[in-house]
Amino acid sequence: MSADDQTAPAVAPMNSLWRDSLLIFRRSMRISLRNPAWVAIGLSQPILYVVLFGPLLKPLAGQLGTGNAYQLFVPGILVQLAIFGSLFVGFGLIAEYRAGVIEAQRVTPASRLSLLLGRVMRDMIVLLFQSVILTLVAIPLGLRAPVLGVVLTLIIVALLGFTFASISYGLALTLKSEDAFAPLLNIFALPALLLSGILLPMTLAPGWLNWISNINPLKHVVDGVRDFFDGEYGTATAWWGVGLTIAMLLLAAWFGSRRFKKEAG
């Protein structure tokens, strides 16, 4: 058997996975483009935070350890957008499950993993679009950040979007009920928001609360992207945040793909 014959069986499944994922992505993107109001609604809350809460931090910039409050605040809001913008995508999947879409897709030869990847790719594109708009809105308000730092942060935001969208889809297929899904997300979302330092750095918190927040990986991700916005690309804090983001992504991808495979089994 030639080397080409040995390589072909390994390449074929990857080509099939990519092709099937693109098919699911195009279908999901068409659904989003038909109803762009949801994209705007998802972006409205972070913009309100930047416009209405950001100016309150300007007089406190020195106490927060920065000369530009928006360099501290906007990276946290971008992480918040990645978390909350992706965690709730599972509601759409529950509706599709109830309408029989998942049942119809599982009888096709499409890769089960592609059913997850195609949807997550759509969520990442929408999230990146929202993040760019949010960053542009913050510039006239006073944001000053290096282009490379913003680009690195947007990459982290996209990876977080992949992570939380995968978790959301996995939970949606597990629960199959909005009545159970919504309370579960809220139980997670509020502590994640308060203990990640998204709105204010946890260095302002009392010692016991700061200690608890250190257990939260999102706190380290937020600290890392703030370093990127400050132009500090080689710090341990920045790359510790990158490492934790990748670790969470791998765990979330495993969980989400496992749920899709089990559902289609």
Side-chain angles (χ1 to χ4, degrees):
M1 182 180 294
S2 68
D4 290 341
D5 293 335
Q6 293 175 342
T7 303
V11 173
M14 291 303 299
N15 289 338
S16 176
L17 175 64
W18 179 243
R19 183 188 65 247
D20 295 342
S21 297
L22 284 178
L23 288 173
I24 299 297
F25 165 75
R26 285 197 290 265
R27 175 188 175 276
S28 301
M29 186 58 75
R30 282 197 301 269
I31 294 174
S32 295
L33 293 176
R34 289 192 194 119
N35 194 6
W38 288 111
V39 177
I41 291 171
L43 186 57
S44 62
Q45 187 183 48
I47 287 181
L48 286 176
Y49 269 112
V50 170
V51 174
L52 301 180
F53 187 74
L56 299 177
L57 298 178
K58 282 187 176 181
L60 304 176
Q63 300 178 42
L64 298 175
T66 180
N68 186 324
Y70 285 97
Q71 276 185 290
L72 184 79
F73 186 54
V74 172
I77 292 298
L78 288 172
V79 172
Q80 180 191 17
L81 179 63
I83 296 171
F84 288 88
S86 303
L87 264 184
F88 292 88
V89 296
F91 282 104
L93 189 64
I94 293 175
E96 286 187 318
Y97 180 87
R98 189 174 292 116
V101 174
I102 304 301
E103 179 69 22
Q105 290 178 340
R106 70 181 241 181
V107 299
T108 68
S111 163
R112 300 318 181 215
L113 181 58
S114 69
L115 301 182
L116 171 68
L117 293 180
R119 288 176 169 87
V120 169
M121 287 163 58
R122 182 273 313 270
D123 299 328
M124 291 174 66
I125 295 297
V126 171
L127 177 60
L128 281 174
F129 172 77
Q130 293 174 320
S131 299
V132 170
I133 296 297
L134 179 61
T135 304
L136 293 176
V137 167
I139 291 175
L141 295 174
L143 173 65
R144 299 295 180 267
V147 174
L148 178 58
V150 173
V151 170
L152 290 173
T153 297
L154 291 177
I155 292 173
I156 296 297
V157 166
L159 296 179
L160 288 174
F162 187 108
T163 299
F164 288 101
S166 298
I167 292 172
S168 183
Y169 288 134
L171 290 176
L173 283 179
T174 301
L175 300 173
K176 302 184 181 71
S177 167
E178 293 91 346
D179 293 335
F181 189 57
L184 181 62
L185 293 186
N186 288 326
I187 288 173
F188 166 81
L190 184 58
L193 174 66
L194 297 177
L195 293 176
S196 59
I198 284 175
L199 300 179
L200 292 170
M202 294 307 297
T203 52
L204 301 177
W208 64 271
L209 188 58
N210 192 23
W211 181 85
I212 293 175
S213 73
N214 284 326
I215 303 173
N216 179 10
L218 292 174
K219 185 251 189 183
H220 302 287
V221 175
V222 171
D223 289 343
V225 295
R226 281 177 174 151
D227 274 10
F228 286 148
F229 259 58
D230 283 337
E232 300 177 5
Y233 309 122
T235 65
T237 300
W239 293 101
W240 179 237
V242 172
L244 286 174
T245 300
I246 294 173
M248 289 190 294
L249 182 148
L250 294 175
L251 288 173
W254 171 81
F255 171 68
S257 61
R258 184 171 181 269
R259 288 306 308 160
F260 267 93
K261 289 178 181 177
K262 186 173 181 179
E263 188 62 34

